[in-house]
């Protein structure tokens, strides 16, 4: 029950359309909320979200520290902003993913996009809690964000995290959160198509793209990330054997980001091997969890001198 990454591959492959993931999450809900039968790692994750609004347990007052030196306002300072950039916990607290957030902000500013963030008013979207089985904690987090967003009359949301994207777009509506939500790859690709962003600097290298489950199978976003890469002069995109609808999970979904793998081969190391088989120099991703897992998998397998992992927005920034 606890090994499931909720990647939806089983549902995609099932010839009789059994919805395995929903059943597994329901069993987890029973174990967590009725039996209190869960690992210490899961308990720590819940406590971190409850006390600090993020699974890492880092002080919530530092949530906006990553913006230091950037031209970015909060909705409290700019309530008329057209878009809310919902940053998410990973980009707020994880050093590798802070770089993605900073690159995205620079690109949005360059394109003249009217946006703002919630800053310290933002809290975890609740996805890890719901997937692990703590429905009460999920709803607490969701309702807090929805109350804040509705208080600012938010209509449009940009996010770089597929888990934030899926949750705010498809699940917040259950609690009165009705927003037009767009993933950063779709938004940036639209900017490229309209001519507001123009990749200029050539990058003579080969890249393979890893599909995020919550962006791909859950929301059918496959083309925008690839089109961004193809718009960069000199860049050659090659596919891994498992891609798009048949792509492979990084291993972090379903709350697995905060649980140790103790059986079988580590999923992220298998995926790192898939990337190496393409002989690409970079494996691109569009999800903070994927970025963390792929980087760790590459390092664990000793591939760091042959291939590196970068978010698509980090790659694009180098070409602007």
């Amino acid at each position: 029950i606890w090994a499931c990454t909720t990647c939806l591959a089983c549902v995609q492959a099932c010839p009789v359309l059994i919805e395995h993931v929903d059943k597994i999450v329901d069993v987890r809900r029973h174990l967590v909320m009725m039996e209190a039968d869960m690992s210490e790692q899961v308990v720590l994750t819940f406590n971190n979200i409850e006390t600090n609004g993020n699974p890492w347990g880092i002080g919530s007052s530092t949530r906006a520290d990553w913006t230091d030196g950037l031209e970015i306002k909060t909705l409290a300072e700019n309530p008329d902003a057209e878009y809310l950039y919902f940053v998410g916990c990973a980009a707020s607290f994880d050093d590798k993913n802070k770089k993605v957030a900073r690159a995205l902000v620079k690109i949005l500013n360059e394109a003249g996009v009217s946006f703002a963030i919630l800053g310290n008013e933002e809290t975890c979207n609740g996805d890890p809690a719901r997937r692990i089985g703590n429905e009460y904690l999920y709803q607490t987090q969701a309702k807090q964000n929805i109350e804040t967003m509705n208080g600012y009359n938010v209509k449009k949301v940009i996010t770089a995290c597929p888990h934030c994207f899926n949750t705010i777009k498809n699940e917040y509506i259950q609690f009165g959160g009705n927003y037009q939500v767009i993933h950063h790859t779709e938004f940036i690709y639209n900017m490229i198509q309209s001519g507001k962003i123009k990749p200029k600097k050539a990058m003579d290298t080969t890249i393979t793209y890893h599909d995020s489950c919550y962006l791909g199978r859950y929301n059918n976003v496959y083309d925008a990330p690839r089109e961004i890469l193809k718009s960069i002069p000199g860049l050659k995109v090659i596919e891994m054997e498992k891609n798009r609808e048949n792509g492979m999970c990084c291993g972090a979904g379903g709350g697995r980001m905060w649980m140790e793998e103790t059986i079988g081969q580590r999923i992220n190391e298998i995926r790192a091997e898939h990337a190496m088989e393409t002989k690409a120099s970079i494996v691109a991703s569009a999800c903070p969890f994927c970025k963390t897992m792929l980087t760790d998998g590459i390092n664990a397998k000793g591939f760091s001198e042959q291939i590196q992992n970068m978010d698509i927005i980090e790659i694009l920034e180098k070409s602007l």
Side-chain angles (χ1 to χ4, degrees):
I1 291 300
W2 296 108
C4 177
T5 64
T6 67
C7 72
L8 224 60
C10 54
V11 178
Q12 177 83 27
C14 183
V16 290
L17 305 178
I18 295 172
E19 296 180 347
H20 317 69
V21 173
D22 290 344
K23 309 295 187 297
I24 290 169
V25 172
D26 278 342
V27 174
R28 287 181 175 181
R29 284 195 189 109
H30 176 79
L31 291 172
V32 170
M33 301 186 70
M34 302 303 291
E35 304 289 338
D37 181 6
M38 58 198 131
S39 70
E40 291 183 7
Q41 294 170 320
V42 167
V43 173
L44 178 61
T45 300
F46 291 157
N47 289 340
N48 287 339
I49 295 174
E50 286 176 6
T51 55
N52 287 299
N54 67 85
W56 282 272
I58 300 171
S60 58
S61 62
T62 64
R63 193 173 192 99
D65 286 4
W66 66 272
T67 65
D68 187 40
L70 293 176
E71 296 178 28
I72 184 169
K73 294 182 177 180
T74 64
L75 278 178
E77 298 167 330
N78 182 21
D80 297 325
E82 182 179 2
Y83 292 93
L84 164 66
Y85 169 30
F86 194 93
V87 182
C89 300
S92 298
F93 298 108
D94 178 70
D95 287 341
K96 289 190 289 291
N97 286 293
K98 286 178 185 178
K99 296 176 182 178
V100 179
R102 293 181 67 87
L104 179 58
V105 165
K106 290 175 183 177
I107 292 172
L108 293 176
N109 282 333
E110 186 172 318
V113 177
S114 170
F115 74 99
I117 63 173
L118 288 173
N120 292 340
E121 290 187 89
E122 181 183 297
T123 189
C124 178
N125 70 78
D127 166 86
R130 172 169 264 196
R131 282 358 183 234
I132 297 172
N134 194 334
E135 182 67 16
Y136 173 78
L137 179 56
Y138 160 72
Q139 292 192 22
T140 301
Q141 296 298 118
K143 289 174 181 177
Q144 182 176 336
N145 277 322
I146 291 167
E147 182 179 350
T148 303
M149 291 159 72
N150 288 351
Y152 285 114
N153 198 30
V154 169
K155 300 297 182 186
K156 301 177 181 178
V157 180
I158 303 169
T159 178
C161 173
H163 297 264
C164 295
F165 172 64
N166 180 70
T167 301
I168 298 171
K169 178 183 179 181
N170 299 323
E171 299 180 359
Y172 273 19
I173 194 170
Q174 296 173 314
F175 307 100
N178 292 282
Y179 316 108
Q180 178 186 330
V181 189
I182 188 167
H183 189 254
H184 75 318
T185 54
E186 294 181 293
F187 189 83
I188 296 300
Y189 179 51
N190 290 340
M191 294 287 102
I192 292 173
Q193 284 186 307
S194 65
K196 293 181 180 179
I197 295 174
K198 296 179 181 179
K200 296 176 182 177
K201 185 179 177 182
M203 294 182 66
D204 185 20
T205 189
T206 55
I207 283 185
T208 187
Y209 172 65
H210 164 81
D211 289 285
S212 159
C213 303
Y214 275 75
L215 190 60
R217 274 189 289 267
Y218 273 81
N219 289 284
N220 203 36
V221 177
Y222 295 109
D223 294 329
R226 290 172 168 83
E227 293 301 322
I228 291 174
L229 294 173
K230 291 176 182 176
S231 72
I232 299 173
L235 207 61
K236 182 182 178 183
V237 181
I238 48 181
E239 296 283 3
M240 285 183 268
E241 183 179 348
K242 291 182 179 291
N243 64 78
R244 300 180 73 93
E245 294 89 346
N246 297 313
M248 183 174 172
C249 183
C250 72
R256 293 293 321 176
M257 179 81 171
W258 294 277
M259 296 183 230
E260 187 60 59
E261 284 187 84
T262 57
I263 56 174
Q265 187 178 353
R266 291 179 182 268
I267 298 171
N268 60 333
E269 293 181 12
I270 297 173
R271 196 54 170 161
E273 290 172 355
H274 292 171
M276 276 296 295
E277 288 169 2
T278 67
K279 293 183 169 54
S281 300
I282 299 172
V283 53
S285 54
C287 169
F289 291 174
C290 293
K291 181 176 175 62
T292 298
M293 296 298 280
L294 289 171
T295 300
D296 289 351
I298 288 167
N299 291 337
K301 296 296 292 185
F303 297 153
S304 56
E305 292 186 5
Q306 296 109 299
I307 191 169
Q308 61 176 315
N309 171 237
M310 296 176 70
D311 189 277
I312 281 176
I313 296 306
E314 292 179 288
I315 299 167
L316 177 64
E317 185 191 23
K318 291 181 177 292
S319 181
L320 297 179

